[in-house]
Amino acid sequence: MTEHYDALETRSPAARAAALAAALPAQVARARADAPAYAAALAGIDPATVTDLAALARLPVTRKADLAARQAAAPPLGGFNATPFGRLARVFMSPGPIFEAAGAEPDPWRYGRALFATGLRAGGLLHNCFAYHFTPAGMMLEEGARALGCPVFPAGTGNTEAQARAAAQLRPVCYSGTPDFLKAILEAGDALGLDLSSLRLGHVTGGAFLPSLRDWYAARGLTVRQSYGTADVGLIAYETEAGAGLVLDEGVVVEIVRPGTGEPVPEGEVGEVVVTTLSPHYPMIRLATGDLSAFLPDAPPGASPGASPGASPGASPGASPCGRTNRRLRGWMGRADQAAKVRGLFVRPEQVAAVRRACPGIGRARLVVSLDGDRDAMVLRAELPADAPGDPALRARLAETLQGALQAETKLRGAVELVPSGSLPNDGVVVEDTRPVAAV
């Protein structure tokens, strides 16, 4: 069995960087020239200079949370499509509502790569339980299967007993859908006395794939792997047989930034996932997804990418043991949209980031919102610079500067607590609301 979808997955980091240096300027130029929303956002940017991640990080982010309002103000797609609306192949509507576009090329969301990593091969029937109504999820997986040369049963959602009966008749080899629905289908088949043994594979996304559920499938002899993607950008990362994190798709550029900003975080730190696509039709440039994750900086203990079966020579230290050399995400780790309402005003991660910048050298910062009696209270916990001396006068100046910046940014008074470098959790939380739900 072929181990990799194509040669892109095992190319060297240098080859991937060279390809990025060619693709990014062309994508930025296309977006600025053909997508009205980016004509304004990228005005003054020379696309030829955007050749690497450092240059990309200087471009503005587009927040997914703002897409609905921007599309409503400039229908139908907010000016984010580079291909004229009438020449698109499909348009969809996700909750928000947010509208998404797809071109006519095969597998526009690139899910063939993820299904291949799950084990699906040409000729195997995919039992696709993602919705085909309004949202693109069903088509995203169907197009991926068709790119592999696989037929698809467009089962859609619900109707558990009917799903089980269809699977018993059609004998699919692979399921795609939410993590828990496959279990419901298999249990329905057991109750009906049906033979569903043809189902050996599952590809899941759109929900939490809990360890207990993973174990349940393994006990039945199923290989079930997950992926992470969105309707706006398609596949972002996918699980492989190595099972160590999610490998980045080759058709996107992923950054991890400090929540509420476009500023990349230090290596291995949890932050917001920001994605740039290489799609010619819907060129999302630095889309801030609102999701938290982190890059895996190292291969799993005891694993050597250069020595693992199928590994590429010169693979980076963070490459997967399966031989794929792209970077890996730890997976979905929560939401970066952490606004909290305090005394009638919203405080947001971007405000905390601005406060932190008032004192260069400060490490992580976390604004903790609580109740003091029946009154909202805020405490900014900020990590001292790693090389800061134990000087009480210096600490007092830092605290005074941070307290002033906090009030200036939020229009609210709050206390400041300076803590040792590296002592705050690496979980991406910037605004922590500890108040009882009824109090918010």
Side-chain angles (χ1 to χ4, degrees):
M1 181 182 293
T2 303
E3 297 298 328
H4 301 113
Y5 185 69
D6 57 23
L8 297 180
E9 293 186 336
T10 56
R11 56 186 165 170
S12 69
R16 187 173 285 108
L20 184 65
L24 271 181
Q27 184 71 332
V28 172
R30 180 186 299 113
R32 196 180 71 165
D34 298 333
Y38 287 116
L42 302 176
I45 300 294
D46 180 3
T49 66
V50 186
T51 58
D52 56 20
L53 288 172
L56 183 64
R58 292 193 286 269
L59 303 186
V61 298
T62 297
R63 303 210 65 81
K64 179 168 180 170
D66 297 335
L67 285 181
R70 296 185 66 173
Q71 290 180 341
L77 295 172
F80 288 100
N81 51 304
T83 295
F85 187 78
R87 288 167 48 197
L88 294 168
R90 300 182 183 92
V91 290
F92 299 91
M93 187 177 80
S94 295
I98 297 175
F99 296 88
E100 299 96 12
E105 73 275 17
D107 196 12
W109 297 277
R110 310 172 309 283
Y111 263 88
R113 188 179 301 281
L115 288 170
F116 186 92
T118 296
L120 186 62
R121 297 295 185 268
L125 176 65
L126 178 69
H127 189 110
N128 187 14
C129 290
F130 281 113
Y132 282 79
H133 179 64
F134 275 68
T135 67
M139 289 303 303
M140 291 166 80
L141 273 295
E142 174 160 326
E143 288 282 345
R146 296 298 301 133
L148 295 178
C150 296
V152 178
F153 173 52
T157 60
N159 303 301
T160 308
E161 182 177 317
Q163 299 271 9
R165 293 188 184 280
Q169 175 75 20
L170 296 173
R171 311 297 292 167
V173 299
C174 185
Y175 158 93
S176 59
T178 56
D180 56 344
F181 192 43
L182 173 57
K183 182 173 185 285
I185 293 172
L186 293 171
E187 289 178 332
D190 292 344
L192 294 168
L194 301 173
D195 177 9
L196 300 185
S197 60
S198 67
L199 277 168
R200 298 177 289 101
L201 305 170
H203 187 87
V204 300
T205 188
F209 190 18
L210 300 175
S212 59
L213 187 57
R214 187 186 290 270
D215 292 343
W216 192 90
Y217 291 135
R220 290 186 66 119
L222 275 74
T223 297
V224 180
R225 294 179 182 144
Q226 64 180 321
S227 63
Y228 164 48
T230 75
D232 323 88
V233 299
L235 179 66
I236 298 173
Y238 58 99
E239 190 176 12
T240 74
E241 64 269 26
L246 304 179
V247 178
L248 295 185
D249 177 55
E250 298 293 336
V252 293
V253 183
V254 176
E255 304 166 84
I256 304 294
V257 308
R258 209 168 296 282
T261 77
E263 172 191 349
V265 300
E267 182 71 18
E269 186 165 324
V270 177
E272 184 174 10
V273 178
V274 169
V275 182
T276 297
T277 72
L278 301 178
S279 164
H281 307 289
Y282 203 54
M284 292 279 101
I285 306 293
R286 302 201 79 202
L287 180 72
T289 63
D291 295 328
L292 292 176
S293 192
F295 287 125
L296 283 175
D298 300 309
S304 172
S308 59
S312 173
S316 64
S320 172
C322 69
R324 293 170 177 86
T325 56
N326 211 343
R327 304 209 63 181
R328 292 172 296 145
L329 291 177
R330 286 174 58 182
W332 186 84
M333 300 178 66
R335 293 293 297 168
D337 303 329
Q338 300 164 22
K341 199 170 189 179
V342 181
R343 301 172 213 157
L345 297 176
F346 279 103
V347 290
R348 304 180 186 278
E350 53 265 38
Q351 293 172 301
V352 178
V355 173
R356 178 179 163 273
R357 286 194 293 270
C359 287
I362 288 290
R364 298 187 187 109
R366 178 185 297 232
L367 186 67
V368 180
V369 181
S370 62
L371 281 180
D372 182 7
D374 59 357
R375 181 174 171 79
D376 292 336
M378 300 193 313
V379 176
L380 178 70
R381 306 187 71 208
E383 293 180 346
L384 284 164
D387 57 352
D391 181 350
L394 173 61
R395 294 171 67 99
R397 288 196 299 273
L398 287 173
E400 182 180 3
T401 299
L402 288 169
Q403 193 166 37
L406 180 63
Q407 184 170 354
E409 286 292 332
T410 66
K411 306 299 185 280
L412 297 164
R413 290 184 181 274
V416 171
E417 178 186 349
L418 298 175
V419 300
S421 176
S423 63
L424 291 179
N426 179 21
D427 57 9
V429 175
V430 177
V431 178
E432 181 182 5
D433 193 343
T434 66
R435 297 170 294 180
V437 174
V440 179

